[in-house]
Amino acid sequence: MALRPGAGGAWGLRAEALEADGREEDAMHAQGRFETLTGHRLDHELPLDGGDPIGVDAFRAQLAGRSVCVVANGESMAASGLGAEIDAYDLVVRVDSFQTHREGTGERVDVHAVSHRSGGPGWRRRAHTRLVFAEQPAQWRAAIRGRLVAGAQSYVGDLSLSRPVRDPALIGEVRWAAEPTTAFTVARLLDHLDVNPRIDLFGFAVPGQLRAEERQWILGRARARDGLRLSLR
């Protein structure tokens, strides 16, 4: 995008230089100054009809007061017979390269949370909101440019939602692995925003869905467990 002359443009150039140098926190600060001075976003590089960018506040507003579930991938869910129950939630979240089966997983896709590393058909499935997770801004932008499918989503989480677990501006828990799993990231984000009367996770107690430390946190945080369902609220 063309930068405005003057102080705003200088901050934009500084943000790009800092990012290229690997100085992520300084780059994000410079980007914030650029946006304040110019009213433009450096990260608004979506393909034509790629959806509108949303930040933390707008995503929180989408969630507020609504029941939400996050559905794991895998054979245990496909054979679960929980499809109708899952589709009855106000919001259904799918992760990475998901597949849906009417009887087992349900079919709705309100939010698709996906790692920048994930390929597969999930990117092409219609979702109201798509959250793309990456630890580095350059990785996030590469996924936005290279994987996002025009017309497949109404909203796309912006850079402020790209690394919520470790980002000091949001949750800021650096003790987790350098790239937490997508499922844990979105579950931790929902728990942190704390605007849903009901947050249920389907299939994540099954070994192999999460890293050991992530699974331990989820099981310790859960208020109830019923078969394949863990309830955080």
Side-chain angles (χ1 to χ4, degrees):
M1 63 178 291
L3 300 179
R4 292 185 182 182
W11 277 108
L13 293 172
R14 178 174 173 79
E16 293 173 351
L18 289 167
E19 181 184 329
D21 197 37
R23 296 169 60 185
E24 181 179 344
E25 299 300 331
D26 291 337
M28 292 181 72
H29 170 73
Q31 178 178 322
R33 294 293 298 151
F34 169 85
E35 293 171 1
T36 298
L37 290 167
T38 67
H40 291 275
R41 300 191 65 87
L42 284 177
D43 57 60
H44 191 175
E45 301 181 41
L46 306 181
L48 184 65
D49 194 27
D52 294 327
I54 61 168
V56 176
D57 289 342
F59 185 59
R60 181 186 287 111
Q62 285 188 4
L63 298 172
R66 308 177 78 181
S67 63
V68 60
C69 69
V70 185
V71 185
N73 302 320
E75 294 180 1
S76 61
M77 285 306 305
S80 70
L82 294 170
E85 181 177 345
I86 288 169
D87 278 348
Y89 283 75
D90 294 329
L91 295 171
V92 180
V93 182
R94 311 284 178 179
V95 297
D96 287 332
S97 186
F98 68 93
Q99 294 183 345
T100 56
H101 308 272
R102 178 181 295 179
E103 294 80 11
T105 67
E107 296 184 309
R108 285 181 44 207
V109 187
D110 298 296
V111 178
H112 179 214
V114 59
S115 166
H116 72 101
R117 299 182 185 278
S118 179
W123 293 89
R124 298 191 294 273
R125 286 288 300 271
R126 176 69 191 175
H128 183 68
T129 299
R130 204 171 309 275
L131 302 179
V132 181
F133 296 142
E135 282 300 304
Q136 300 295 330
Q139 296 170 331
W140 179 86
R141 290 194 177 96
I144 290 294
R145 295 167 184 163
R147 297 190 185 276
L148 203 66
V149 176
Q153 55 280 311
S154 299
Y155 298 96
V156 181
D158 68 12
L159 195 60
S160 70
L161 284 164
S162 65
R163 54 187 294 265
V165 172
R166 292 168 56 86
D167 186 349
L170 197 50
I171 301 173
E173 294 178 346
V174 297
R175 70 180 185 272
W176 302 107
E179 287 198 25
T181 63
T182 300
F184 178 76
T185 298
V186 72
R188 186 68 187 88
L189 176 61
L190 294 172
D191 183 75
H192 174 76
L193 294 176
D194 194 22
V195 293
N196 301 99
R198 185 176 180 185
I199 303 173
D200 288 341
L201 313 178
F202 283 91
F204 291 106
V206 177
Q209 289 287 342
L210 302 168
R211 294 191 176 99
E213 65 273 18
E214 296 173 346
R215 185 170 182 266
Q216 183 178 12
W217 187 93
I218 291 291
L219 292 175
R221 188 71 170 170
R223 297 183 179 181
R225 180 174 179 177
D226 180 12
L228 290 171
R229 179 174 55 215
L230 293 169
S231 298
L232 300 185
R233 296 289 187 279

